[in-house]
Structure formats: C-alpha cells, structure tokens
Amino acid sequence: MTRILSVETSCDETGVAVVEDGRHILSNVVASQTVHERTGGIVPEVAAREHLRQVDPVAREALERAETTLEHVDVVAATVGPGLIGALLVGANYARGLAFAAGKPFVGVNHLEGHVYANWLYEGDEAPPEPELPAVVLVVSGAHSDLVLMEDHRRFRLLGRTLDDAAGEAYDKVARLVGLGFPGGPLIERAARSGDGKAFPFPKADLASRYDVSFSGLKTAVLRLVRDLEGSSSRGGPPPSTPRPLAPWAPDVAASFQRTINEMLAERVARAAAEFEVRTVMLGGGVAANLALRAEIQRRVSLPLRVPPPKLCTDNGAMIGAAAYFSMRHGAEGIPTLVRSNMPLAH
Ligand code: KG4
Ligand code: ZN
C-alpha cells in the first residue's frame, strides 16, 4: 500500500489530497481562489500569494480528513508544471520541504498527466475497473486543449492541439462577452440550459491537420454577434467584468457557442477513436466537467467513455497523487523534478 500526500498549486486552486495506490481518495481538499472574480481573470502574483496563505492549512485539513499524519505517508508529490511559475513554486517548494522534513521521497508531477490520471480515482470502498489502454484522451483545460493517444501508462503521443486559445480560455472569454462572470465555463453551461443551441450558426474552423483545433474564429464571431445584439448604444459602456443584468439573448448565444465548440472537440475525438485501435476514450481537465461535451462525445463514439466526476475534472490534489503513483510504478524515467511553467503532455 502506497499512501501519497499530493499538492496542486499550478493555477488558482490550492489542492491537497491523500491518495492510496494511485486510485483511492482518502481526502481531497480544494480551496478555490475567489479573489480573481473581481478582476475577471487570474493575476499571477495574486494567485501565488493566495497559495502561500492557503497551502499549509489545506494540507493540514487533508491529513486530518484522511485520519492520518505525515509520518504515515510514504511519498509527497506536487505539480511542477505546466502552470503559473510563481504559483507552481509555492506548492512544489512546500511539498519538497515537507518531504525533506519527514524523510520521505518527493515526486514531481506534470499537471496534464494529473488530468489524465483523474480517470483512475475513486472514493468509497468499491474500486471501479481501471480504464483499459490504449486510449484516446482529450485534455481540455483553461490553458490546454490536447488530443493524445495514450499507448500505455505514461506513454503519450500528441495527435492534435489548439493553434490559439485553449477550450477553457474560449469558454471564459465568451462568458465575459456575454456578461457572465469568471470562471466562465460553468456559467456558460448553466446559461445554455435555457437557450437554443441552434439560434446562431457559428463557423467551425477547418484546418489542414485532422486533429488540431482553433477557436479564434469562433470567438471573433461571438464578439461580432454580441456587438450587433447590444447595438451601438452600449459601446463604450461598462467594462466587461462589471456585473450587468443578463441580456435576453445571452442564453441563446451561450448555447450556440457551447454547441459549436463542443462539436468541434467531439468531431476530433470521434475521428481519433475511429482511426486508432483503442479500447477507451477518456476526457480530463476543467472543460471535461461540461455535461453537454460528454453527451456530444458519447453520441459519436461507441467505445467506453471515461470522464472523471466534475469535481475531479477541475484542478485538485487527488489527480496529482494518482499521476505520482503511476509515474513511480511505470518507470522513474522522465519524472520531472524541476519547476517549469512550460511542460508538454506529449510530443
Ligand atoms: O483544469 P482546470 O481547472 O484548470 C486548468 O488547468 O486550466 O480548468 C479550468 C477551466 C476554466 O477555463 C473553466 O472555465 C473551465 O475549465 N470549466 C468549464 C466547466 N467547468 C470548468 N468549461 C466548460 N464547462 C464547465 N462546466
Ligand atoms: Zn488543470
């Protein structure tokens, strides 16, 4: 039995968890930074400062909820990249310090591998079967949109990625245009429930690569439409992050945007699932919490679709504990140790 204490601070969530054998969540405490709501986006220095304030109490709570202590933990792990450098340094240095003080090994984790390995996690006594490999995996977060072939544990091959914005970034930017708050993904999803996804036809970029995506055209189309709908009178009005009453057309714009972006992603996933002989399709990252995206992919692929529950899709410490365990089990080679803001999932 390997018990890992794992720390995640790459962006705006301070997460610490205790995970057994890379799968069983004993505790998973996440403190989301709400200070960024005011700025409508993440200010890196503010994020780092908040992590510094939160990481120790969050870690203590994680140990307490797991009814364990540092002495009974075998390994301490932390995200070392990719992410905001100041934010990463807080969590990684904290975890390294704990490991050193307690005489335990430290394992650095690639955050994107964490999003993939969230699919191995479970709570409670009943262990569900592990996802079968090889798999096609879509990792869609606030900073990444990677479609990869997972040939085996920790063996990832890049099939496609975004040429501009990440999917979550597109969700966040459109939410701001439509007058919703931050982070935008869950708010778009909620607003879209009362809207018509076919109200506005948006363009889908057609790229030379079969698996890459680009969202800048879609974003511009939403911007133009919103300007038209608002009329010239509101130009020069309050800045987009200022709360304003939701416009009557907002749910239709949200639903149409959501349908378009989800179809673009689902088309690529279905194409990859058909082309490669895989046994599973997996999703990960904050945008995978979107239920409409899951449904769109499920509609197009007949293979088993694995998606973590929404709270394990967005950043958390448990996924880092899972990835750390499988890194250790499947060869220490290539385990990152130094903090780097840029760290790809696959080449
Ligand atoms: O993985 P994550 O928590 O952090 C990063 O690693 O970036 O992803 C955050 C992103 C944000 O852009 C957020 O708007 C998006 O995931 N997101 C969603 C949903 N929940 C979170 N996007 C669409 N629908 C959701 N339900
Ligand atoms: Zn993430």
Side-chain angles (χ1 to χ4, degrees):
M1 185 89 76
T2 306
R3 194 173 273 194
I4 302 185
L5 179 76
S6 46
V7 179
E8 154 61 35
T9 63
S10 68
C11 192
D12 62 340
E13 253 93 32
T14 315
V16 184
V18 180
V19 177
E20 254 173 17
D21 290 342
R23 299 200 64 202
H24 187 198
I25 301 176
L26 298 189
S27 69
N28 188 22
V29 182
V30 179
S32 299
Q33 302 182 354
T34 50
V35 288
H36 307 295
E37 281 164 15
R38 264 177 276 144
T39 40
I42 296 158
V43 179
E45 289 76 9
V46 176
R49 217 178 313 129
E50 281 292 294
H51 286 306
L52 205 50
R53 206 168 60 80
Q54 298 271 26
V55 69
D56 191 51
V58 169
R60 283 172 198 275
E61 193 179 334
L63 286 168
E64 208 168 287
R65 283 202 203 168
E67 295 178 1
T68 189
T69 59
L70 192 55
E71 292 79 69
H72 294 95
V73 158
D74 302 297
V75 175
V76 184
T79 305
V80 291
L84 303 170
I85 191 76
L88 286 166
L89 280 166
V90 173
N93 285 342
Y94 175 80
R96 228 190 282 271
L98 280 190
F100 183 71
K104 315 277 175 178
F106 170 81
V107 174
V109 173
N110 179 321
H111 179 83
L112 299 170
E113 285 190 26
H115 278 307
V116 175
Y117 278 103
N119 283 291
W120 270 258
L121 291 167
Y122 69 91
E123 279 174 297
D125 299 331
E126 199 74 18
E130 294 190 32
E132 290 189 29
L133 300 176
V136 160
V137 192
L138 177 70
V139 180
V140 268
S141 71
H144 295 87
S145 297
D146 290 341
L147 184 64
V148 299
L149 184 63
M150 184 175 185
E151 292 165 325
D152 203 343
H153 280 287
R154 300 201 74 232
R155 279 212 351 243
F156 299 102
R157 186 141 70 87
L158 185 70
L159 300 177
R161 62 193 168 82
T162 175
L163 300 184
D164 37 60
D165 288 350
E169 204 177 347
Y171 265 95
D172 293 337
K173 286 180 179 168
V174 166
R176 208 177 315 169
L177 287 175
V178 175
L180 298 163
F182 177 86
L187 299 168
I188 291 266
E189 182 170 24
R190 195 181 324 146
R193 280 193 211 123
S194 55
D196 173 7
K198 298 213 164 115
F200 303 108
F202 288 129
K204 288 186 202 161
D206 225 350
L207 304 173
S209 153
R210 290 162 52 71
Y211 296 119
D212 286 342
V213 280
S214 160
F215 302 123
S216 69
L218 170 60
K219 203 179 59 193
T220 309
V222 177
L223 173 68
R224 289 220 184 92
L225 172 72
V226 168
R227 288 233 171 107
D228 283 351
L229 292 167
E230 280 178 334
S232 53
S233 62
S234 65
R235 255 175 241 170
S241 56
T242 310
R244 48 189 157 134
L246 203 58
W249 41 259
D252 283 348
V253 176
S256 302
F257 161 77
Q258 178 173 271
R259 184 175 75 90
T260 311
I261 190 167
N262 286 355
E263 280 179 5
M264 286 167 78
L265 293 168
E267 277 162 16
R268 265 81 178 170
V269 172
R271 199 174 289 157
E275 183 162 329
F276 298 95
E277 278 178 19
V278 293
R279 301 170 77 165
T280 314
V281 171
M282 276 189 268
L283 307 186
V287 182
N290 189 285
L291 298 177
L293 174 64
R294 299 171 183 211
E296 190 59 44
I297 292 172
Q298 188 73 84
R299 204 168 65 75
R300 290 164 194 256
V301 295
S302 48
L303 290 166
L305 174 66
R306 298 287 292 250
V307 193
K311 70 174 183 202
L312 296 178
C313 286
T314 49
D315 293 350
N316 64 85
M319 69 185 202
I320 302 307
Y325 175 82
F326 288 99
S327 310
M328 286 166 21
R329 213 175 76 176
H330 296 278
E333 197 192 321
I335 297 183
T337 48
L338 294 177
V339 171
R340 283 210 337 255
S341 63
N342 215 332
M343 194 179 285
L345 174 60
H347 293 280

